[in-house]
Amino acid sequence: MGDSMTGIGIDIGSTAAKVSIINNEEIKNFYMPTGWNSRETALIIRQKIEGLGFKNYKVIATGYGRVSVPYADKTITEITCHAKGAYYLYNDDITVIDIGGQDTKVISIKSGKVSSFSMNDKCAAGTGRFLELMANSLGITISELCSLGKDDTAIKISSMCTVFAESEVISLIAQGTKKEDIASAIIEAIISKVSSLVQKHGNNNKYFLTGGLSQNPIIIDKLSKKLKSPIFTHRDALYAGSIGAALLSIE
Ligand code: ADP
């Protein structure tokens, strides 16, 4: 451990900080909440890395908080790192859909490289933040929200704006609408928002889901039905950005 071939990728997202360590062709991943102070989070990450016995390593930082990693040798944008990591995990050209805490990205990969990308970072409605806020209104976790909302419903959340959607949810609760129906309507709202970004991005027929929401089979199933295309993922898909950064650090 700790030889010159150790590469570390740190992806400081809006919600979670993801870390990947490549050593002797093995990848270790861990994550922690970003919290209020991403600089402090970065320092805790360094302590953890050194606690694992790594002393001599290269670090590439990526993600929204990439500038808060003072010990990084280099920073690289999320798009490049995500594409690199997703290509490593899927091992073929594909279109990556990354639904994170505060933005959603669609990245097409051709011959292992980014060929085009689209991004929604202006509006919370098609991101993890939307699910978080709605789960809070219902007093449940995101996982509980997804399980409750696995079936279809006739109830619709008509507002495209998160703030108005939240008031709609609150009035549905007040009217005594079943939690299951509200949950389904919430999931339907985020799925439509994400799929319209994907469809605008254009002509693709298979997808690889990364980011926090890739951990949820109900999201994958519903998005796949909406896009009428298979959606692949990987148990480490949450780490696509940090894995990509770690790989780039040892190139
Ligand atoms: P960021 O890079 O912006 O920090 P992530 O890709 O790490 O975002 O994703 C964080 C988001 O993932 C959270 O906002 C949350 O909505 C969502 N999330 C976390 N766990 C789950 C889960 N089990 N099911 C669905 N969504 C989840």
Side-chain angles (χ1 to χ4, degrees):
M1 274 207 293
D3 64 15
S4 58
M5 285 307 289
T6 304
I8 298 181
I10 303 180
D11 175 8
I12 310 267
S14 60
T15 315
K18 279 81 59 181
V19 182
S20 299
I21 305 175
I22 301 187
N23 181 253
N24 294 328
E25 288 173 34
E26 226 186 275
I27 303 189
K28 274 197 190 73
N29 304 304
F30 67 87
Y31 82 95
M32 59 180 64
T34 302
W36 293 111
N37 187 340
S38 45
R39 235 182 139 79
E40 205 168 283
T41 308
L43 296 174
I44 297 171
I45 288 171
R46 182 164 63 176
Q47 285 171 1
K48 195 151 176 188
I49 293 167
E50 310 231 316
L52 288 167
F54 298 104
K55 291 276 177 303
N56 186 12
Y57 47 80
K58 280 248 175 306
V59 176
I60 287 186
T62 187
Y64 158 83
R66 61 181 175 273
V67 293
S68 343
V69 186
Y71 53 91
D73 295 287
K74 204 173 162 187
T75 61
I76 296 185
T77 69
E78 284 141 277
I79 306 289
T80 307
C81 293
H82 264 279
K84 182 87 184 170
Y87 188 73
Y88 172 83
L89 294 172
Y90 185 69
N91 224 344
D92 200 358
D93 286 350
I94 196 157
T95 293
V96 180
I97 305 174
D98 176 66
I99 314 179
Q102 72 164 23
D103 63 19
T104 297
K105 301 182 265 289
V106 186
I107 311 167
S108 292
I109 303 181
K110 285 220 173 69
S111 314
K113 296 256 178 304
V114 177
S115 68
S116 62
F117 74 89
S118 308
M119 181 144 145
N120 158 29
D121 60 358
K122 298 278 181 290
C123 161
T127 71
R129 182 71 75 236
F130 180 81
L131 279 187
E132 257 171 58
L133 286 169
M134 302 304 145
N136 274 346
S137 308
L138 288 170
I140 56 179
T141 64
I142 295 180
S143 304
E144 286 165 344
L145 176 91
C146 292
S147 317
L148 271 179
K150 65 182 182 334
D151 298 324
D152 293 337
T153 181
I155 303 280
K156 272 209 163 34
I157 294 184
S158 51
S159 179
M160 273 301 184
C161 167
T162 304
V163 178
F164 294 134
E166 195 173 15
S167 343
E168 274 186 60
V169 166
I170 290 164
S171 52
L172 287 170
I173 298 170
Q175 288 157 28
T177 310
K178 279 191 357 212
K179 267 193 175 178
E180 287 81 352
D181 285 322
I182 304 177
S184 302
I186 291 167
I187 296 171
E188 173 58 28
I190 183 173
I191 295 293
S192 342
K193 194 83 193 191
V194 171
S195 47
S196 70
L197 181 72
V198 173
Q199 276 150 356
K200 239 187 267 161
H201 180 81
N203 59 24
N204 295 288
N205 52 24
K206 63 175 184 177
Y207 301 98
F208 187 79
L209 189 64
T210 65
L213 273 71
S214 67
Q215 307 297 297
N216 199 290
I218 290 151
I219 297 284
I220 295 174
D221 181 55
K222 293 205 173 192
L223 190 56
S224 166
K225 282 186 183 132
K226 190 74 157 195
L227 291 170
K228 300 190 179 68
S229 297
I231 296 191
F232 300 91
T233 190
H234 186 284
R235 97 191 126 81
D236 293 333
L238 174 66
Y239 296 101
S242 55
I243 290 175
L247 289 168
L248 289 166
S249 76
I250 54 170
E251 268 183 5

